[in-house]
Amino acid sequence: MRRYETIVILRPNSGEEEINKVIETTTKIITDDKGSVIELNKWGMKKLAYLIKKETLGYYAYFDFASTPAAVSEIERKFRIDDVVLKYMTIKLAAAITEEGVTEAIAAVSAREASAAAEIEAAETDDKTEVKTDGKTEVKAEVKTEVKAEVKAEVKAEVKDEVKAEGTAVVSKETTTEAKKEA
Amino acid sequence: MAPRPQKKLFSRRKSCRFCGDKELTINYKDVKTLRNFVSERGKIIPRRIVGTCATHQRQLCEAIKQARQIAFLPYSGSSQG
């Protein structure tokens, strides 16, 4: 068994059914040949760096699998026949992979996906809880900080004035203290 | 002809970014990093300009060529066409 990864670019105007059909046939070829799919990922629509068969967009699908060279040649033969496939590329990642290695790789992929999903969920839940519980207090805090900022700005302006007109310094100091009390 | 004194003044030691940052890996699917090593025209920038070491430049070169094959990077011209 060898480990390969394949990227297929499919026609952007092809329907969901056709895309799924291509993916199913490739996975079937892999599993029929006693190989196993490690990762299957639909990257979706992407802009192509150059035109392929007069298309500017492409639907990307990514396979990471363990299989034999015969299966790869069969997959590529099918891709060449299929009109939906714009372009494909297969890369050999490892010359030999054991069954243990396959299970390990699958576990690694699932762990990575789980962690990514957990991160997204955590971010979402954090946002929600913050909005729900601290909604009122947050608003208050914001108002307070705004007021403080305004006061500070005023104070600064007054201080500048002080330097210019020393005579009014006492008055301005009094006003600043008042402003602080208000805050 | 006078000797060129400026050359020494303006030369700065370049270092390989992949040797310096161990977390930065070369992968043909990582288009964002590959973009740094490709000119606006889509050409691979030579080693003497970007300063990558020989080992990493070889890997980079292969990655860029693979990315081109699968339309992540252009063969020539900008990504717009």
Side-chain angles (χ1 to χ4, degrees):
Chain A
M1 285 291 167
R2 287 177 184 173
R3 189 175 176 180
Y4 296 99
E5 65 181 3
T6 302
I7 294 179
V8 205
I9 308 175
L10 304 168
R11 231 173 244 287
N13 51 11
S14 60
E16 192 77 17
E17 275 183 30
E18 282 171 313
I19 290 165
N20 286 333
K21 202 178 144 195
V22 171
I23 290 167
E24 270 174 30
T25 49
T26 44
T27 48
K28 196 165 178 290
I29 292 164
I30 293 163
T31 48
D32 281 353
D33 207 47
K34 288 169 187 171
S36 51
V37 180
I38 293 165
E39 193 187 351
L40 200 161
N41 210 336
K42 290 177 196 170
W43 288 348
M45 285 300 183
K46 274 194 177 186
K47 199 160 180 273
L48 302 174
Y50 49 86
L51 296 184
I52 303 176
K53 293 183 184 168
K54 294 178 183 174
E55 298 284 0
T56 52
L57 283 168
Y59 188 96
Y60 278 79
Y62 171 78
F63 299 89
D64 188 343
F65 57 97
S67 187
T68 54
V72 172
S73 60
E74 174 63 15
I75 289 166
E76 295 198 337
R77 194 183 67 86
K78 286 268 195 222
F79 282 163
R80 256 175 270 132
I81 292 165
D82 207 332
D83 275 340
V84 178
V85 178
L86 294 177
K87 208 165 183 181
Y88 59 86
M89 184 171 74
T90 307
I91 286 176
K92 187 172 78 184
L93 293 177
I97 185 166
T98 56
E99 285 189 13
E100 290 168 12
V102 169
T103 49
E104 269 177 28
I106 291 169
V109 166
S110 57
R112 201 179 64 207
E113 279 175 358
S115 67
E119 269 181 26
I120 291 165
E121 267 184 27
E124 277 178 1
T125 48
D126 277 357
D127 288 343
K128 278 178 188 173
T129 48
E130 269 179 22
V131 169
K132 275 177 187 172
T133 55
D134 306 336
K136 285 176 183 176
T137 51
E138 257 182 47
V139 170
K140 277 179 187 174
E142 273 176 23
V143 171
K144 275 183 185 174
T145 49
E146 273 175 19
V147 169
K148 275 183 186 173
E150 275 175 22
V151 170
K152 275 181 187 173
E154 277 174 17
V155 170
K156 275 183 185 173
E158 278 166 13
V159 168
K160 277 181 187 172
D161 288 338
E162 264 181 59
V163 176
K164 280 178 185 171
E166 284 175 5
T168 56
V170 182
V171 182
S172 62
K173 270 184 186 174
E174 279 174 10
T175 53
T176 51
T177 48
E178 276 173 14
K180 274 181 187 172
K181 276 178 189 173
E182 278 175 14
Chain B
M1 283 280 270
R4 289 170 293 174
Q6 292 105 321
K7 204 182 176 187
K8 266 197 174 175
L9 280 173
F10 289 102
S11 70
R12 194 201 295 151
R13 179 133 181 81
K14 291 168 205 142
S15 60
C16 177
R17 277 177 53 186
F18 297 101
C19 289
D21 188 0
K22 293 286 176 200
E23 285 180 11
L24 201 67
T25 51
I26 299 171
N27 192 323
Y28 72 97
K29 283 170 283 182
D30 190 5
V31 185
K32 267 188 184 172
T33 47
L34 293 184
R35 281 250 177 236
N36 296 324
F37 299 93
V38 165
S39 75
E40 266 179 48
R41 282 269 166 189
K43 292 178 175 183
I44 299 167
I45 301 172
R47 202 155 79 77
R48 71 187 138 83
I49 292 168
V50 285
T52 49
C53 70
T55 319
H56 284 126
Q57 181 74 10
R58 244 180 284 128
Q59 292 170 3
L60 196 67
C61 201
E62 189 157 341
I64 289 168
K65 284 169 183 173
Q66 286 172 343
R68 280 176 182 167
Q69 241 181 62
I70 206 71
F72 288 152
L73 289 176
Y75 277 105
S76 67
S78 62
S79 58
Q80 271 74 40

